[in-house]
């Protein structure tokens, strides 16, 4: 019995010594173990593991950049849609404007200063360009009257300028007024400016003083067709007039029956051509 007791006591002592050694050894202690009692070696402030926020901040920055990029792209898309809408609206407005025929012949106009060349009025001695004329209301120009002059044709600029000067001088001498035509077109395919887009025509026997321009074709077209270059220049003049907002796109085109075109011969070669044009309306009596 005494032997058993001594063995038990010896085992107990060995267990106590082993336990004491484990408590003293820092290696043998697990970080998860908690001391039941705090001693002098126990620190008053326990270090708390520092959490790394760098990753979270980087993620937040990336999300902010993505949101900003998305917002910018959305704004750009809205702007592009707005611009596209404006372009489509303008295009539709342009389509609604009646267009004349396509013109391959370039418009060429000899202005008043070009054919007057400083010539003096045969009546007053003043520069012919200073002769007065009533102004046209541009927004009201809706009619175009095309008339032949009944003269010999001209095929070079020098001859056409000479004829235009002659018509002008006759108007000044007989009536003391400017050349009566708004424009004259020669066989050289050029337009010669008379009263232009600013002045009322000077024909007392033709209607529409304030809403009409008169275009004279130099020559007589009773038995011959007008030259293609002349007809092309008429088209170019009408197109240019619309482009300058000096003629309504919905204008009406007329011929004249007067001393140059009798009632019996009203369908001259000139008007046989013009009656097939889109804006042709018929004749006025001069």
């Amino acid at each position: 019995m005494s032997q058993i007791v001594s063995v038990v006591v010896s085992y107990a002592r060995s267990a106590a010594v082993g336990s004491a050694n484990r408590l003293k050894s820092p290696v043998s202690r697990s970080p998860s173990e908690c001391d039941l009692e705090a001693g002098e070696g126990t620190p008053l402030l326990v270090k708390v593991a520092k959490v790394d926020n760098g990753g979270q901040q980087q993620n937040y920055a990336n999300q902010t950049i993505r949101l900003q990029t998305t917002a910018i792209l959305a704004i750009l898309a809205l702007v592009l849609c707005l611009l596209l809408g404006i372009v489509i609206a303008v295009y539709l407005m342009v389509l609604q404007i009646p267009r004349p025929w396509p013109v391959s012949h370039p418009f060429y106009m000899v202005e008043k200063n070009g054919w007057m060349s400083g010539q003096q009025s045969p009546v007053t001695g003043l520069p012919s360009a200073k002769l007065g004329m009533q102004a046209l209301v541009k927004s009201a120009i809706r009619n175009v009257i095309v008339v032949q002059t009944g003269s010999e044709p001209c095929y070079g600029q020098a001859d056409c300028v000479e004829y235009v000067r002659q018509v002008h001088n006759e108007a000044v001498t007989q009536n003391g007024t400017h050349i009566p035509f708004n424009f004259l077109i020669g066989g050289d395919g050029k337009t010669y400016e008379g009263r232009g887009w600013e002045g009322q025509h000077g024909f007392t026997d033709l209607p529409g003083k304030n809403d009409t321009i008169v275009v004279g074709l130099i020559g007589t077209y009773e038995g011959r067709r007008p030259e293609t270059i002349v007809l092309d220049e008429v088209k170019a003049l009408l197109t240019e007039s619309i482009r300058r907002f000096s003629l309504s796109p919905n204008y009406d085109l007329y011929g004249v029956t007067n001393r140059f075109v009798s009632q019996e011969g009203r369908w001259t070669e000139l008007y046989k051509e013009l009656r097939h044009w889109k804006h042709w309306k018929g004749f006025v009596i001069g």
Side-chain angles (χ1 to χ4, degrees), residues 80-260:
L80 289 176
C81 290
L82 179 61
L83 292 176
L84 181 61
I86 293 174
V87 170
I88 293 174
V90 172
Y91 177 72
L92 293 176
M93 289 177 62
V94 170
L95 286 182
Q96 291 178 355
I97 300 176
R99 291 289 176 181
W101 47 81
V103 177
S104 58
H105 176 76
F107 176 68
Y108 188 98
M109 184 172 70
V110 180
E111 298 181 349
K112 288 193 291 281
N113 293 337
W115 58 261
M116 283 183 176
S117 299
Q119 70 171 9
Q120 301 296 313
S121 165
V123 176
T124 63
L126 296 174
S128 298
K130 298 297 183 180
L131 291 173
M133 55 186 174
Q134 290 184 309
L136 265 171
V137 179
K138 288 188 177 182
S139 60
I141 301 178
R142 297 185 57 87
N143 303 312
V144 178
I145 297 176
V146 178
V147 58
Q148 62 182 6
T149 61
S151 64
E152 292 296 322
C154 63
Y155 298 106
Q157 183 167 331
D159 292 337
C160 292
V161 166
E162 184 63 29
Y163 176 78
V164 174
R165 286 179 177 177
Q166 176 185 339
V167 175
H168 174 71
N169 289 335
E170 288 177 358
V172 174
T173 302
Q174 296 174 8
N175 305 313
T177 61
H178 201 283
I179 186 173
F181 295 94
N182 293 90
F183 300 97
L184 284 162
I185 296 178
D188 57 351
K190 297 177 182 178
T191 297
Y192 295 85
E193 181 186 22
R195 299 193 175 201
W197 292 287
E198 291 79 25
Q200 297 181 11
H201 70 77
F203 294 94
T204 58
D205 53 351
L206 293 181
K209 283 282 188 177
N210 198 40
D211 62 357
T212 303
I213 58 175
V214 177
V215 180
L217 305 190
I218 302 174
T220 304
Y221 300 100
E222 296 290 344
R224 67 184 183 92
R225 180 184 182 275
E227 295 82 357
T228 300
I229 193 173
V230 173
L231 296 175
D232 287 344
E233 183 65 11
V234 175
K235 295 177 181 180
L237 170 61
L238 296 175
T239 302
E240 179 68 13
S241 299
I242 295 173
R243 190 189 70 81
R244 294 192 182 201
F245 302 102
S246 295
L247 177 66
S248 169
N250 299 313
Y251 69 91
D252 294 329
L253 184 64
Y254 295 94
V256 176
T257 57
N258 58 9
R259 63 185 181 274
F260 300 134

Side-chain angles (χ1 to χ4, degrees), residues 17-30:
V17 171
S19 177
N21 291 335
R22 284 196 302 272
L23 291 174
K24 291 180 180 179
S25 174
V27 177
S28 63
R29 296 180 64 182
S30 173

